[in-house]
Amino acid sequence: MKEITMKSVKSTLFVIFIITSVFSTLMAQNDERKLAEILMFGKPFYKQNTEFEWEYYDAIATENNSSEKLEKKELSLTYRNIIGKEMIFIYDLFTVEIMIGSDSTLSWKDSKSKKIKDEKTRTIHIDNKITLKSWLDADNTYVTMYADFYQGDTHAFLSKSDGKIEIANGSIKLKD
């Protein structure tokens, strides 16, 4: 009977050890995630009072003083009335001029090079005002661009061929 008790005590201690190890690993990952979010974005994505409620991060709004009201003119455009119009996408990393020809074509030029590049694109319509467009650039950069043509917001995700990912946030304006 003493052996059975010692075996059960050993197995119970082993289970407690495993649970403690797993729990401490998960807590360390959680702390690292929060630290990385604070270092990269100035605040964590989770609200502090609950772990299940997301906090929206708006890079454009956080650049301004929190007491200032972000005033931005809406473009009030839909995907249908932007076809063929020249627009300026002003990102925090770069500025490009874009003309969308259709769901599968796009012409753009960088403000530095002035060379027009035609791209074959894939488009996902989130609704009639918001789209996701993606294409593979000539330098093997995979670009995914979120564009809200009604509000004038845009975000780009650039996956470089060396594995680096850049995120650019910006606004859309019609070219004069």
Side-chain angles (χ1 to χ4, degrees):
M1 186 165 198
K2 201 173 193 182
E3 275 184 41
I4 295 174
T5 309
M6 282 303 276
K7 277 187 174 182
S8 66
V9 169
K10 285 182 181 179
S11 60
T12 305
L13 288 174
F14 181 73
V15 169
I16 291 172
F17 172 75
I18 295 296
I19 291 171
T20 305
S21 298
V22 169
F23 182 72
S24 63
T25 303
L26 291 175
M27 289 303 293
Q29 289 175 354
N30 191 27
D31 292 341
E32 288 296 319
R33 176 192 53 82
K34 284 182 183 175
L35 179 62
E37 289 171 0
I38 289 171
L39 289 175
M40 291 174 62
F41 302 108
K43 63 180 177 179
F45 284 146
Y46 285 113
K47 287 189 175 179
Q48 298 300 323
N49 58 353
T50 176
E51 284 293 314
F52 299 109
E53 192 174 340
W54 285 95
E55 183 172 327
Y56 177 71
Y57 174 73
D58 186 357
I60 296 171
T62 55
E63 287 178 3
N64 296 326
N65 189 343
S66 60
S67 63
E68 283 183 21
K69 182 79 173 170
L70 180 64
E71 293 182 25
K72 191 167 113 178
K73 184 181 173 190
E74 294 179 350
L75 287 178
S76 302
L77 295 173
T78 65
Y79 187 74
R80 300 258 181 245
N81 43 357
I82 58 125
I83 302 291
K85 290 187 179 175
E86 292 184 30
M87 294 170 283
I88 301 172
F89 285 63
I90 304 166
Y91 291 102
D92 48 7
L93 302 175
F94 52 87
T95 300
V96 292
E97 293 180 20
I98 294 179
M99 187 183 76
I100 297 173
S102 67
D103 280 347
S104 60
T105 60
L106 163 82
S107 299
W108 69 278
K109 66 180 176 179
D110 189 359
S111 60
K112 296 176 186 172
S113 69
K114 303 292 185 194
K115 181 181 175 187
I116 296 175
K117 298 178 183 179
D118 295 319
E119 305 288 351
K120 298 260 186 226
T121 64
R122 300 281 182 172
T123 303
I124 297 173
H125 295 272
I126 297 174
D127 60 26
N128 67 343
K129 301 170 189 156
I130 301 172
T131 62
L132 279 175
K133 282 188 116 17
S134 59
W135 65 91
L136 185 63
D137 199 8
D139 65 351
N140 285 333
T141 299
Y142 187 74
V143 179
T144 302
M145 178 182 70
Y146 167 90
D148 181 343
F149 297 106
Y150 193 81
Q151 296 290 330
D153 291 330
T154 183
H155 307 281
F157 304 92
L158 310 167
S159 300
K160 304 280 185 170
S161 59
D162 61 0
K164 293 181 181 176
I165 296 176
E166 291 181 351
I167 300 172
N169 302 301
S171 60
I172 305 169
K173 294 183 181 180
L174 288 174
K175 188 174 178 183
D176 297 328

